[in-house]
Amino acid sequence: METIYLVLFLVYAADKGKRVKTAKLVAVLDIGFFGVVFAATTFAIGGLDIKIMVIGLICACLSVFMYGSPLAAVRRVITSRSVEYMPFFLSFFLFLNGGVWATYAILDKDVFLGVPNGTGCFLGAIQLVIYAVYMNSRVASHSHGSDEAASLLSSEASKHGQHDASTRV
């Protein structure tokens, strides 16, 4: 799925600079990093148990990064007092996914599943709490145009004698 998404992005992205940057990131991170891990675990590390430990640690770290990546929007959410930049369903399903996999890991006694997914469930819960705190906050206006639109709507409503809540912004 990710490969299809990346190919479509690289083909249809309007900005050539973004396409080149994305292609370089794909080459370095997806192909290069995988190649280094594969070569290191195949040729440099002896013993199946140690290989499993190294790959498990790498996967656990990458999983924690994946779960924590939406927290990059938290600063913007707090400063703007708006959840516009933090989609609810992403936070909800990260929490749900982490919780389900952490439960499975507890039942299976698998540390490599339990630690990153338990951490992911915790980080998802933090995102949901932040969402709950700021979901009813007034959206900070980003441009003068949105203020003009709001005043235009309220002036149009007052011309027609409509002052109900559905016309107020």
Side-chain angles (χ1 to χ4, degrees), residues 50-70:
I50 296 174
K51 289 180 183 185
I52 291 172
M53 179 74 71
V54 168
I55 291 175
L57 288 172
I58 290 170
C59 291
C61 290
L62 291 174
S63 292
V64 170
F65 291 150
M66 179 206 58
Y67 281 120
S69 62

Side-chain angles (χ1 to χ4, degrees), residues 10 22 36 44 50 57 77 87 93 112 121 135 160 168:
L10 291 173
T22 302
V36 168
I50 296 174
L57 288 172
V77 167
F93 283 111
F112 290 123
C121 183
M135 72 180 187
H160 300 290
R168 286 186 220 137

Side-chain angles (χ1 to χ4, degrees), residues 110-122:
D110 189 340
V111 176
F112 290 123
L113 280 177
V115 171
N117 288 296
T119 305
C121 183
F122 176 71

Side-chain angles (χ1 to χ4, degrees), residues 115-166:
V115 171
N117 288 296
T119 305
C121 183
F122 176 71
L123 293 175
I126 290 173
Q127 293 171 46
L128 290 175
V129 168
I130 290 171
Y131 194 93
V133 168
Y134 292 106
M135 72 180 187
N136 291 326
S137 296
R138 187 163 189 257
V139 177
S141 65
H142 299 290
S143 66
H144 185 60
S146 63
D147 290 338
E148 290 175 358
S151 65
L152 180 64
L153 280 174
S154 63
S155 67
E156 286 295 316
S158 64
K159 285 181 187 176
H160 300 290
Q162 300 170 343
H163 294 288
D164 64 345
S166 65

Side-chain angles (χ1 to χ4, degrees), residues 36-102:
V36 168
V37 169
F38 177 79
T41 55
T42 302
F43 303 116
I45 299 174
L48 183 61
D49 290 339
I50 296 174
K51 289 180 183 185
I52 291 172
M53 179 74 71
V54 168
I55 291 175
L57 288 172
I58 290 170
C59 291
C61 290
L62 291 174
S63 292
V64 170
F65 291 150
M66 179 206 58
Y67 281 120
S69 62
L71 289 174
V74 167
R75 180 175 181 212
R76 183 176 245 177
V77 167
I78 292 171
T79 56
S80 68
R81 303 189 61 79
S82 167
V83 293
E84 176 182 4
Y85 301 103
M86 192 167 76
F88 171 76
F89 286 113
L90 176 63
S91 300
F92 176 70
F93 283 111
L94 282 175
F95 168 73
L96 193 64
N97 185 55
V100 169
W101 278 106

